Amino acid sequence: MNNMSPEVTLHRISPELRPLLSSVVRNGRVGLDSTNCLRVTDLKTGCTSLTPGPCCDRFKLHIPYAGETLKWDIIFNAQYPELPPDFIFGEDAEFLPEPSELPHLVQWDSGDPECLLQLVKELLQQYHHYQCQRLRESSRLLFEYDSLLEDPNYGRNMEIYAGRKNSWTGEFSARFLLKLPGDFSNIPVYLLKDTAVDPGEDVALLSVSFEDAEATQVFPKLYLSPSIEHALGGSSALHIPAFPSGGCLIDYVPQVCQLLNNKVQYVIQGYHKRREYIAAFLSHFGMGVVEYDAEGFTKLTLLLMWKDFCFLVHVDLPLYFPRDQPTLTFQSVYHFTSSGQLYSQVQKSYPYSPRWDGNEMAKRAKAYFKSFIPQFQEGAFANGKL
Amino acid sequence: MAEPTVRLSGIVFSSLAFQHVNRDSDVEGLILGESKFEEQVTISDSQADHIHIEEIYNIQKHISCLKLNDFYNSVGDVNVAAVNKILADNKQENVIGWYKQRRNSDQQMTFREKVVHEKLKASLSNPHMIFVLLTPSRLTPTGSTHKMEYAAFISRSRHFVNVPVLVNNLGVLEQLAYWKASAPCSSAGYHRTMNTHSSKFFSSNGLLREVNDVNSMNDSLQLELQKASRKLVESERLVETLQTDISVLRRKLSEKKKSEAGKGGPVDQRDQVLHEAFRSLLCCRLFHTHTLTLEAFPVPGFSEQDGAPETASPLRPGKRPKETLVGTDRKRRRSQPSE
């Protein structure tokens, strides 16, 4: 589909139209799924081939909506850049919005770089109304929509794609995309490899596909923004329940929402617990701390000595700490294994309780070190080589 | 249901294409021509009488706008004054639609084109208008070959339907039925020629002259038929009247007979006696006609009693008594047939 980077797109577009398109490709986030900007492909021109470039003035705009991607043709005229654009709404030939309800079309201002983006948003609103109207084909799905609409938590953040015929059965089908309400502000900062890329707003989207008008085949799916997905431990960390037979969205969606929020709170608490744990170890072991993870608080390394025997202790805190026990890796600073690595032993079972606070965990860990080190030393001498 | 078709001559089509090739942007304009509805009756094995209506749009001329969005604004509202200005000397009623030429785009109507089309129909008060779309595009990446796609659209209940476009070059080759109307032509020279020579073939009302003669003959036949019908009606009425009179008379007679049979008095008896007397008298051989000899003696064994002449009776009107010659032995002449 000849994907183009924004820079290439802007380079090929007619100079008079460049500001309009710039805001679309750089800042264009519409709808619920705003993790990615709008995408432009199939740049073409309405001028003759003899016209020197750049003179592209028509293109396809890919717009994410309700789990689908709308492909709308936008047509300008390079010779008349002041004129408003025209649209072809892809496969939705029946979609005909009321022009007077598009303020940025009525008062088109080619000098305003945001005008095109705002017009696209207004068209998308009208498209949403058009899709909701199509739900009238199924009383069951219309009921689902009306019941969700009444709830302010979900009614204002909903996208519907309706009237799509199931390619196998030919039945009327629809998809609901809902933005789940939740406070994700306390989730630990997500470290991005490329800091120039804005990960976007933290959002959780629930997609529910009805493959038939009577809601006997319903397939839910949860989409998380990268930071939330990372914070929860990956895409497979959270399993949402299946849609109950005979159930309805107004009961199911809050259930999923609660599950997600519980998980997020658990992760946030785990982050604080880890921080508390590390702080306690810093307090107890002071100068013995070699290094620790100061952002995620997931790792800690200590250099300790017992009867002139120095050793390292690596503490790895799992994601679901304190429910899951930290792993302790004892490492000799003198002895090597046959493969050239420092001799080490991993301990996952030692006295531990998730109900202890950080201070208690540090004290108990210290006591365990004292009891385990003689055994480790013997092992190092026996199995390692200097 | 009407089956629409758009027809344009090769000259007009090539003019449209040529115009766009020479413009460095999209082009739009108005289409002039005529639209007509023809009823076609087809007979097939499955259906004896199938009537369908053909909707034909003949494109005869196009007028291009000097710039885009010339007669409408950003929301598609049509400016009729601007349309009239574009038309100049052409009549508004000749407008049958508008066209757009869009390079490198899909063969579909856009959002604004649909809105403008509906508003143009309303503004010009013409519910039957077409929109012709031409979309030239590059066929090869090098640009060595280009294609020109074209289509026409009409709107039915705000749904836009693709209509076949036929480009006439040397005539409409698919025409198989009889021509019911002459091919449309807007050429001034064609009209001058027709005006000069048409009076030889057509009368003032536009029909062929022979058709008028046949019609006159038909009218005369109708008059004769009407006369004969009137005479028939009169004679039938006369017969009816006479039959009514006869019925009345018969009824009176039967009533009279009934009333006389019921009374039975001295008048009747006297009539009976008189009747008997006359019978006896008439039956007497002396009063019969005799065949006599020359000496005035009856010829024995030969009398007219056996062949007694029939007497006229009032009950048998119309029958006249046979004429006989008394005292002669002439043979009876055959009576003459009555008229």
Side-chain angles (χ1 to χ4, degrees), chain B residues 172-187:
Chain B
V172 181
L173 299 178
E174 77 283 1
Q175 181 73 24
L176 297 176
Y178 290 113
W179 283 88
K180 292 186 184 173
S182 56
C185 181
S186 60
S187 161

Side-chain angles (χ1 to χ4, degrees), chain A residues 236-375:
Chain A
S236 57
L238 183 64
H239 295 285
I240 58 174
F243 193 85
S245 173
C248 52
L249 282 175
I250 197 60
D251 297 325
Y252 178 75
V253 173
Q255 193 183 346
V256 172
C257 204
Q258 188 64 40
L259 183 72
L260 173 67
N261 284 327
N262 288 346
K263 200 77 173 185
V264 169
Q265 289 306 314
Y266 195 84
V267 166
I268 291 173
Q269 282 171 14
Y271 168 82
H272 289 296
K273 284 283 185 182
R274 289 198 304 274
R275 194 168 68 173
E276 183 191 329
Y277 181 94
I278 297 290
F281 268 68
L282 289 174
S283 168
H284 277 262
F285 293 94
M287 298 297 288
V289 175
V290 175
E291 61 179 6
Y292 67 94
D293 175 7
E295 289 200 2
F297 304 105
T298 56
K299 281 182 177 303
L300 172 71
T301 300
L302 303 167
L303 177 63
L304 303 171
M305 189 168 70
W306 179 77
K307 291 184 180 177
D308 296 328
F309 176 72
C310 293
F311 58 95
L312 291 164
V313 180
H314 303 282
V315 182
D316 291 290
L317 288 90
L319 181 63
Y320 294 112
F321 173 84
R323 186 195 74 187
D324 299 340
Q325 189 171 356
T327 304
L328 302 175
T329 305
F330 292 85
Q331 199 173 51
S332 167
V333 299
Y334 313 104
H335 301 91
F336 292 89
T337 63
S338 55
S339 57
Q341 303 294 319
L342 284 172
Y343 177 80
S344 58
Q345 282 188 23
V346 179
Q347 291 297 315
K348 289 184 180 176
S349 299
Y350 54 87
Y352 173 84
S353 171
R355 288 187 291 276
W356 296 336
D357 62 6
N359 201 35
E360 184 68 22
M361 286 183 187
K363 277 197 305 192
R364 298 282 186 133
K366 200 177 207 178
Y368 176 73
F369 294 161
K370 283 182 183 169
S371 67
F372 179 71
I373 278 306
Q375 177 187 339

Side-chain angles (χ1 to χ4, degrees), chain A residues 72-345:
Chain A
W72 289 356
D73 284 276
I74 298 183
I75 301 169
F76 282 95
N77 274 276
Q79 302 298 324
Y80 302 95
E82 71 281 3
L83 293 178
D86 207 349
F87 297 84
I88 297 177
F89 300 115
E91 294 173 353
D92 295 298
E94 303 294 324
F95 173 49
L96 196 63
E98 175 53 49
S100 56
E101 293 176 13
L102 301 167
H104 280 83
L105 183 64
V106 176
Q107 300 287 337
W108 172 258
D109 179 7
S110 58
D112 176 10
E114 296 293 315
C115 207
L116 177 62
L117 182 60
Q118 294 305 320
L119 177 56
V120 169
K121 287 180 179 175
E122 286 161 10
L123 280 169
L124 210 56
Q125 271 180 354
Q126 296 259 334
Y127 185 76
H128 174 73
H129 292 314
Y130 162 74
Q131 289 291 349
C132 293
Q133 290 291 319
R134 298 184 76 178
L135 277 180
R136 293 178 198 283
E137 210 171 308
S138 164
S139 57
R140 174 75 172 84
L141 297 179
L142 185 63
F143 159 75
E144 296 283 5
Y145 168 71
D146 287 335
S147 57
L148 281 173
L149 200 62
E150 287 172 4
D151 190 328
N153 286 327
Y154 312 113
R156 282 194 292 263
N157 295 301
M158 185 166 47
E159 285 175 358
I160 292 163
Y161 189 77
R164 179 174 59 91
K165 296 291 179 194
N166 185 306
S167 57
W168 292 101
T169 65
E171 274 219 55
F172 178 85
S173 62
R175 182 182 296 128
F176 288 70
L177 187 69
L178 298 118
K179 183 177 174 181
L180 300 181
D183 182 13
F184 307 113
S185 57
N186 294 323
I187 288 182
V189 173
Y190 175 65
L191 290 171
L192 298 167
K193 287 180 185 174
D194 185 356
T195 54
V197 175
D198 181 2
E201 181 192 357
D202 285 330
V203 65
L205 301 173
L206 177 65
S207 162
V208 183
S209 297
F210 292 86
E211 294 299 322
D212 64 322
E214 295 309 314
T216 58
Q217 296 180 65
V218 185
F219 303 102
K221 194 163 182 188
L222 185 66
Y223 295 94
L224 303 171
S225 59
S227 61
I228 299 178
E229 191 172 284
H230 178 81
L232 296 184
S235 58
S236 57
L238 183 64
H239 295 285
I240 58 174
F243 193 85
S245 173
C248 52
L249 282 175
I250 197 60
D251 297 325
Y252 178 75
V253 173
Q255 193 183 346
V256 172
C257 204
Q258 188 64 40
L259 183 72
L260 173 67
N261 284 327
N262 288 346
K263 200 77 173 185
V264 169
Q265 289 306 314
Y266 195 84
V267 166
I268 291 173
Q269 282 171 14
Y271 168 82
H272 289 296
K273 284 283 185 182
R274 289 198 304 274
R275 194 168 68 173
E276 183 191 329
Y277 181 94
I278 297 290
F281 268 68
L282 289 174
S283 168
H284 277 262
F285 293 94
M287 298 297 288
V289 175
V290 175
E291 61 179 6
Y292 67 94
D293 175 7
E295 289 200 2
F297 304 105
T298 56
K299 281 182 177 303
L300 172 71
T301 300
L302 303 167
L303 177 63
L304 303 171
M305 189 168 70
W306 179 77
K307 291 184 180 177
D308 296 328
F309 176 72
C310 293
F311 58 95
L312 291 164
V313 180
H314 303 282
V315 182
D316 291 290
L317 288 90
L319 181 63
Y320 294 112
F321 173 84
R323 186 195 74 187
D324 299 340
Q325 189 171 356
T327 304
L328 302 175
T329 305
F330 292 85
Q331 199 173 51
S332 167
V333 299
Y334 313 104
H335 301 91
F336 292 89
T337 63
S338 55
S339 57
Q341 303 294 319
L342 284 172
Y343 177 80
S344 58
Q345 282 188 23

